[in-house]
Amino acid sequence: MELLYTGKTKDVFALEDGHYLLKFKDDVTGENGVFDPGANTVGLTIDGAGLAGLRLTSFFYSKLNEQGVPTHYVDANFDDATMTVKPATVFGKGLEVICRFKAVGSFLRRYGAYVQEGQDLDSFVEVTIKDDERLDPPISADALDMLGLLTLEEYAILKHRTIEISKFVAAELEKKGLTLYDIKLEFGRDAKTNEILLIDEISGGNMRAYKGDTYIEPLQLEQIMLAK
């Protein structure tokens, strides 16, 4: 295996068969030792977070694949905390797509003069550029098109799939009595077909889930969702 990239929460390796291998780590994003899925830096290390993230990602991706939603997921190895994926290229240097059902986090910090904390949002989708130095600035569909990151037609696909996937995750959480407040997804283009794919992970590390008014930590979320 060839190490291609060392990320905040995963390392990426190239496999001889053309696939990639993602190695999940126990690092999670946050600030000052407090977990925050929207943060730009690794804030803390939680023992078992990597495997928990992989198990939950495998759970969601397997279901999405069965439903015909395009993803990069191939399979997972829980013993090694690794996931095999199809090769995909990102938009520009990478985008993050957030779907918000409640006004919390950075949305509340930006628009707090106009919304109440926890106020309902109608599957609000926003895109940010992956750029730690500039604190992942939001970007509009027109700007994405003009800068050549993706076309307006591709943005429409991206938005549709973001809402579709986010509502699917929310419905799965609801089965366990949980409410999804927001979720951060990533997409790319299939290296062979150029089709837009869901990439990266779907885990407690990139969403906020609550039971009533109580926030559910990433490891606890995995335990609740995968309990028999």
Side-chain angles (χ1 to χ4, degrees):
M1 294 189 300
E2 175 189 0
L3 178 63
L4 296 179
Y5 174 74
T6 297
K8 298 184 186 74
T9 59
K10 288 179 289 297
D11 293 333
V12 183
F13 298 86
L15 299 176
E16 292 182 356
D17 65 1
H19 287 144
Y20 291 162
L21 190 76
L22 308 185
K23 173 69 174 179
F24 283 61
K25 300 188 286 190
D26 287 340
D27 297 333
V28 298
T29 56
E31 294 180 359
N32 302 317
V34 178
F35 168 72
D36 182 352
N40 301 309
T41 58
V42 171
L44 63 161
T45 299
I46 303 174
D47 289 340
L51 180 57
L54 173 61
R55 284 169 54 84
L56 203 50
T57 296
S58 177
F59 169 80
F60 284 123
Y61 268 107
S62 296
K63 287 180 174 290
L64 288 169
N65 281 355
E66 290 173 2
Q67 295 177 19
V69 177
T71 81
H72 72 162
Y73 178 78
V74 177
D75 59 35
N77 184 324
F78 299 142
D79 291 335
D80 296 333
T82 58
M83 183 168 79
T84 303
V85 300
K86 302 174 186 176
T89 59
V90 298
F91 302 102
K93 297 180 180 179
L95 302 174
E96 293 178 340
V97 189
I98 302 97
C99 187
R100 302 184 184 277
F101 298 101
K102 298 281 188 178
V104 293
S106 61
F107 184 91
L108 182 65
R109 290 193 293 271
R110 278 183 272 135
Y111 308 122
Y114 301 94
V115 298
Q116 299 296 318
E117 183 173 4
Q119 180 177 321
D120 288 338
L121 301 174
D122 186 14
S123 306
F124 176 75
V125 174
E126 61 181 343
V127 179
T128 65
I129 296 174
K130 293 185 74 171
D131 187 334
D132 292 343
E133 183 179 343
R134 295 171 178 82
L135 303 178
D136 295 351
I139 186 169
S140 68
D142 286 342
L144 288 166
D145 180 44
M146 282 186 273
L147 294 176
L149 298 181
L150 75 166
T151 66
L152 291 175
E153 291 77 14
E154 287 178 319
Y155 177 82
I157 295 171
L158 196 75
K159 181 178 179 180
H160 171 79
R161 290 195 178 151
T162 296
I163 294 174
E164 176 187 24
I165 293 165
S166 300
K167 286 186 174 180
F168 158 76
V169 173
E172 290 295 319
L173 264 62
E174 189 175 0
K175 293 176 183 178
K176 299 289 186 175
L178 306 177
T179 302
L180 180 64
Y181 274 33
D182 58 25
I183 184 168
K184 178 174 64 180
L185 304 174
E186 294 190 35
F187 294 85
R189 295 187 182 95
D190 187 301
K192 294 182 179 179
T193 68
N194 220 35
E195 182 180 27
I196 294 177
L197 301 173
L198 178 67
I199 64 173
D200 200 51
E201 66 180 279
I202 302 179
S203 71
N206 63 337
M207 70 176 78
R208 289 186 181 90
Y210 283 73
K211 188 175 184 63
D213 295 328
T214 303
Y215 169 70
I216 305 299
E217 297 285 348
L219 265 67
Q220 186 182 5
L221 180 63
E222 182 260 347
Q223 293 167 358
I224 293 173
M225 291 303 298
L226 301 185
K228 300 298 185 181

